[in-house]
Amino acid sequence: MFDSDRDELFESMSLAGIETAIIPGVNPEGWAKQLQVAKQYSCPYGLGIHPWFCEDEPQRALEQLSEQVNACIHDPYLVAIGECGLDKIRKDNWQGQIIALEAQLSMARQLDLPVILHVVKAHSEMLAILKRYSLPRGGVIHGFYGSYEIANEYIKLGYKLGIGGLILNASAKKLKTCVAQLPLDSMLIETDSPAMTPQNSADSRNTPLILQSIIAEIANLHKKSSVLITEHTFRNSMQLFDLKLILI
């Protein structure tokens, strides 16, 4: 999706004050390209198995994940396990999703890494599992779209909420109401690019360049300055993913 203009995109990001982007992993077939891009552009990354790519019996993929993580364990740019999680839209592999998620939570706990979590129509199941797997580093609920009550349950467990392009949609009233109430130390900003393009975008492909618009919307909802929101969300990312060794 970015092969034709990746250099130009990173240059535009730099001009916009965006220092880097965290690149999650989603399946064994994609890790090699992901690691190549991460190395070329000095991006932190996660390694994981996304619920869309889980088989009913994901043991082989989990073995591959363990091997890949062990190969990268001394790389300071490996900052998370994920993207992993639960997605009820893809219920045909539900049992495999649970097996893969629990294995990756165990891996994150063992390695003292945070997790990047994908949760779609499965908040109650995810919260129940996270209560059983106490992760010292917590993680982020990627692309969060839910109520303040659900958000608060994640926050109490030590997780942060990833706020992305959905906040820019006029129809996202529940999310806007939630974000307006969230403490500033509970949020990260994200894009999920090239996916999750805002409805009013002129480009069908999402990119990190919308981060400024997300910050502006959060600032508007909190009646704070964009500078303050930028400072808080940057600090939250630095702390969660322990980025000080690679960004400072």
Side-chain angles (χ1 to χ4, degrees):
M1 184 65 77
F2 293 108
D3 286 348
S4 64
D5 63 347
R6 189 173 285 111
D7 287 343
E8 291 84 351
L9 175 59
F10 271 92
E11 183 177 348
S12 296
M13 288 166 56
S14 179
L15 292 172
I18 302 169
E19 293 187 41
T20 191
I22 295 174
I23 307 175
V26 295
N27 63 8
E29 292 73 25
W31 294 333
K33 179 62 176 287
Q34 174 201 359
L35 292 173
Q36 174 196 332
V37 172
K39 182 176 181 180
Q40 181 177 354
Y41 297 96
S42 299
C43 290
Y45 61 91
L47 288 169
I49 302 170
H50 190 288
W52 289 4
F53 302 102
C54 284
E55 298 180 356
D56 290 334
E57 296 183 2
Q59 285 77 10
R60 176 56 188 146
L62 289 168
E63 290 172 3
Q64 291 175 291
L65 176 61
S66 180
E67 292 168 2
Q68 186 65 71
V69 168
N70 286 334
C72 298
I73 196 62
H74 298 298
D75 183 357
Y77 286 84
L78 172 62
V79 298
I81 297 298
E83 181 178 341
C84 54
L86 298 174
D87 192 324
K88 277 193 173 177
I89 292 178
R90 306 290 181 105
K91 285 198 295 186
D92 55 318
N93 65 346
W94 181 250
Q95 195 56 41
Q97 290 186 38
I98 293 174
I99 293 169
L101 170 63
E102 293 188 341
Q104 290 174 92
L105 291 174
S106 294
M107 185 180 297
R109 183 169 59 188
Q110 178 182 354
L111 298 173
D112 194 29
L113 287 172
V115 288
I116 299 170
L117 294 174
H118 172 106
V119 192
V120 175
K121 299 186 181 299
H123 289 299
S124 60
E125 292 87 350
M126 179 62 78
L127 285 164
I129 290 173
L130 293 181
K131 287 173 183 176
R132 290 194 285 109
Y133 287 83
S134 179
L135 269 60
R137 297 278 302 279
V140 58
I141 311 304
H142 145 69
F144 179 75
Y145 194 92
S147 67
Y148 173 74
E149 290 73 23
I150 292 173
N152 199 42
E153 289 299 310
Y154 285 118
I155 292 169
K156 287 191 291 187
L157 292 174
Y159 289 80
K160 298 193 184 298
L161 293 312
I163 308 302
L166 292 176
I167 195 72
L168 301 177
N169 295 339
S171 59
K173 295 179 181 178
K174 181 172 72 172
L175 180 59
K176 292 175 188 285
T177 299
C178 171
V179 169
Q181 301 175 73
L182 290 177
L184 295 182
D185 64 359
S186 70
M187 290 182 282
L188 305 183
I189 53 171
E190 59 162 272
T191 65
D192 199 27
S193 60
M196 212 178 287
T197 308
Q199 292 170 351
N200 62 351
S201 175
D203 192 344
S204 61
R205 182 187 68 170
N206 197 8
T207 80
L209 297 176
I210 71 163
L211 289 175
Q212 292 174 325
S213 297
I214 294 170
I215 288 170
E217 180 63 19
I218 296 172
N220 177 59
L221 292 169
H222 275 262
K223 296 179 171 53
K224 305 289 185 182
S225 72
S226 291
V227 171
L228 181 67
I229 302 302
T230 300
E231 290 173 348
H232 272 273
T233 53
F234 178 76
R235 183 165 62 244
N236 295 343
S237 296
M238 291 286 290
Q239 291 173 345
L240 177 61
F241 296 111
D242 196 17
L243 300 177
K244 60 183 180 293
L245 293 178
I246 58 178
L247 291 185
I248 296 179

